[in-house]
Amino acid sequence: MDMQIKVVKLEAPEDCNIILGQSHFIKTIEDLYEAIFNTVPGAKFGIAFSEASGDCLVRIEGNSDELSELAGEKMLEIGCGHSFLIFLKNAFPINVLQRIKSVPEVVNLFCATANPIEILIAETEQGRGIIGVIDGFKPVGIETEDDIIFRKKFLREIGYKF
């Protein structure tokens, strides 16, 4: 049996985050919509879910036509069954991740980031599967005292620490 490893590069639109995960049922798309909408009503988002059986379609939902269409196009390019992609605006992943994890169909999360990502995909005769994600860039060093001060100040400025 032959297997190839492919890379799909993905960047979030400006002021957006990406959430990439794995799930297992056509109902996933509607449950993810409800999880995000009910957690952060002001969030704008687009979701795409790739079926792995039946019609094998990319299903799309969201409250932003632009983000929904982009999620659908990118999910078709990724082409891995039972995976989902969310583009999220006006909210951070930290605001919705616990709700997404509690959706019964969700199996795994690969990343939640605003960084450019590279999705590592294994392809066989049967289909494709996500084997990992490269999120952003490699570290260049260890933070200094000034970096620690900046980090702590930044978290408080954006309201995530008191």
Side-chain angles (χ1 to χ4, degrees):
M1 176 181 281
D2 281 341
M3 179 185 74
Q4 295 181 336
I5 295 177
K6 301 182 181 240
V7 176
V8 173
K9 294 182 178 193
L10 183 58
E11 288 191 40
E14 190 172 337
D15 298 324
C16 280
N17 281 270
I18 299 167
I19 301 172
L20 179 66
Q22 186 176 32
S23 60
H24 74 92
F25 192 43
I26 193 172
K27 185 168 102 54
T28 299
I29 191 78
E30 293 179 35
D31 289 353
L32 288 172
Y33 179 102
E34 291 170 4
I36 297 168
F37 188 81
N38 291 331
T39 304
V40 185
K44 294 292 180 198
F45 58 92
I47 309 168
F49 168 70
S50 180
E51 291 178 319
S53 59
D55 292 334
C56 292
L57 296 174
V58 171
R59 307 290 183 169
I60 59 172
E61 284 287 346
N63 64 1
S64 163
D65 291 342
E66 176 186 350
L67 295 176
S68 297
E69 184 177 312
L70 181 61
E73 290 169 3
K74 289 301 183 180
M75 181 49 68
L76 189 58
E77 183 181 347
I78 293 165
C80 296
H82 281 171
S83 55
F84 64 87
L85 175 64
I86 300 168
F87 287 112
L88 180 67
K89 192 172 193 166
N90 300 336
F92 293 108
I94 195 170
N95 302 129
V96 298
L97 283 178
Q98 288 306 315
R99 284 296 299 270
I100 288 171
K101 289 177 188 178
S102 71
V103 169
E105 300 88 27
V106 171
V107 175
N108 187 31
L109 293 179
F110 292 105
C111 71
T113 186
N115 294 327
I117 62 173
E118 294 178 334
I119 305 163
L120 306 177
I121 297 169
E123 184 169 1
T124 67
E125 287 181 30
Q126 178 175 309
R128 294 173 125 191
I130 298 170
I131 56 176
V133 172
I134 298 171
D135 182 349
F137 311 97
K138 69 180 186 176
V140 296
I142 297 173
E143 69 181 349
T144 65
E145 287 298 321
D146 288 342
D147 296 323
I148 293 168
I149 291 167
F150 171 81
R151 171 176 42 90
K152 290 182 177 191
K153 181 180 175 193
F154 173 73
L155 290 173
R156 281 148 187 83
E157 284 175 358
I158 64 171
Y160 279 91
K161 291 287 184 173
F162 296 105

